[in-house]
Amino acid sequence: MSSISISSFLRVTSYWSKLAGVRWQLLLTLVVIWGASSWLKNEYGQDDSNLWLVMSLFGQIVKWTLVGLLLTSLLSVLLTWAYFLYNSKSKQVLVSARLGDGQKASAGWVPLTIMLTGPIVRPLLGSIQARLIFSEMRMSEPVVLDGSVPKPRHWWRQGIKGTGQAFLHDRGVYDVEKVLVSFFDMLGLFSLPYTLPFTQQLYTLPKPQLIQKINANPNSTEEQKQRIEIPKRVEGEHVNYKEFEAGDNIQRIVWKIYAKSGQLVVRIPETKDPYASHLYFYASFFHGFENQKGALELELLNVYKDKVRNLYEALLQNGYEVRIPQDQEVPKLAGLSEKKNELFQITAALWQSVQPPSVYVNYNKAAFVCLPSLAPAAEVELLLRNLPLSVPVIVIKLSDAIPSPFIFKAKDIMFKPEKQPTDHLRQPWMFSSLRRAVLKNEKEMAEALKQRGNSWLTNTFEIEK
């Protein structure tokens, strides 16, 4: 709880600090000058020697030089900023920005271009920077507007622009609300801000991983709906089992499952399927614990989305259309096709506590089921009892989604480890009550999954064969 409050406090503090015209460098400069002046006066102020007279004269020259530079710098940035405000309020300044491809991007560093058109003057030896302001007081990295936009058939420019990158770590929908334009003086002591209205929506896709093929077949009730001319191969694999029946080849019995649960099951042999259909992939986002909607839960959601995307793309390798039924309403983005987009659905999903897996999963349609380890173990047990044995169930282990702060590698002695976006969450997650609850829940889940074949609690998809 404390880590969530601290992260929220830091975000709000950072937001308002960008809107304060005075930078911390100015405060530090004033403190240093005052401290140096006080020390010199205490040490030599009582001395009537020629040394003190020279030092005093030199101090006066330095003081007025600094005051002159400060006033020149301040006056320059104030005049250009006031001119920009006047033109902005007169609707003579227009802002445009392009983030990613304008609609989607992969989570991480995303290309960003910001352009201002209209009568704009830079401060003397200063600069103009711009940032995107997202919802919930989040900001992008600053972009220096150091390029000129030439006006056709004229020697002067029609605006300024800059390119850079914005770090969008969270997988989800980003709503751009404004553009913050800041005027910096030549000494870097003042930052005069002004916000321009600008709206844009962009969604960041979960990170792609190594695509593996995990075999799955359409449920039998959905299988014979659309006949094809060339039969597709359907390979029996470790995720496709059925109960042992008279006449089955005993060489296909999975003895590992028999040793664990006492059930005789066999692998489904390779067949030629003369029908084409689609796979129903049920990926639940159910959060069975107290959801604080803070930094820790958000990072667990990021990791889970990466795993769900990886599993979705692995299922596509079977040659069937993969459909993911929704367990929640997802927002609609302007300009996004009305055609069902599973990747966007995964990206826009949030933790929800309304529709548990036992209600969400259709037992007659499901071909593959994925759950987070935030779902209560009792829900998983209920789901396993009602789900056919041929339907694989994967529970994504989230207790180690955020690495431990005590992990140490031998190469760290010689090389400084690369910084990760989740480094500041490692210690709070290690000692959080949520992690302890998830560990206990995963232990109960593991016991339930042992009683049924074709089920795994894992953080990878290297499922035992």
Side-chain angles (χ1 to χ4, degrees), residues 295-342:
L296 297 178
E297 283 85 354
L298 186 57
E299 183 56 29
L300 297 184
L301 183 62
N302 290 334
V303 174
Y304 184 64
K305 287 180 179 179
D306 290 346
K307 303 297 183 183
V308 172
R309 176 183 178 174
N310 189 16
L311 186 52
Y312 165 71
E313 293 179 340
L315 292 174
L316 286 175
Q317 303 302 308
N318 291 279
Y320 295 100
E321 178 188 353
V322 179
R323 298 182 182 177
I324 307 179
Q326 297 181 3
D327 68 348
Q328 60 189 277
E329 289 292 330
V330 296
K332 293 184 178 180
L333 265 64
L336 189 64
S337 172
E338 293 295 328
K339 185 179 179 182
K340 198 168 187 303
N341 186 335
E342 273 71 20

Side-chain angles (χ1 to χ4, degrees), residues 35 71 121 123 318 324 336 362 458:
L71 289 177
V121 179
N318 291 279
I324 307 179
L336 189 64
N362 187 319
T458 179

Side-chain angles (χ1 to χ4, degrees), residues 224-282:
Q224 300 177 358
K225 286 197 172 183
Q226 183 180 358
R227 190 174 181 91
I228 56 176
E229 296 181 0
I230 302 176
K232 289 188 177 183
R233 175 178 293 181
V234 180
E235 297 178 350
E237 223 263 335
H238 58 278
V239 293
N240 300 308
Y241 301 128
K242 72 180 187 70
E243 294 183 2
F244 178 79
E245 298 175 355
D248 286 337
N249 189 344
I250 61 173
Q251 294 180 348
R252 293 187 177 273
I253 294 176
V254 185
W255 295 108
K256 285 186 177 181
I257 295 179
Y258 176 74
K260 292 180 179 179
S261 62
Q263 291 179 301
L264 279 176
V265 296
V266 294
R267 291 188 175 91
I268 299 175
E270 180 177 291
T271 61
K272 292 289 186 177
D273 185 5
Y275 298 92
S277 186
H278 47 262
L279 297 171
Y280 276 106
F281 171 36
Y282 284 84

Side-chain angles (χ1 to χ4, degrees), residues 143-183:
V143 172
V144 180
L145 306 182
D146 53 358
S148 297
V149 181
K151 192 172 184 178
R153 295 188 296 274
H154 291 83
W155 61 270
W156 62 83
R157 68 179 185 223
Q158 65 176 347
I160 58 176
K161 67 176 181 178
T163 58
Q165 289 184 314
F167 187 67
L168 306 181
H169 172 67
D170 298 326
R171 292 67 154 160
V173 179
Y174 285 81
D175 292 308
V176 181
E177 297 180 342
K178 302 174 185 176
V179 172
L180 173 64
V181 181
S182 301
F183 283 69

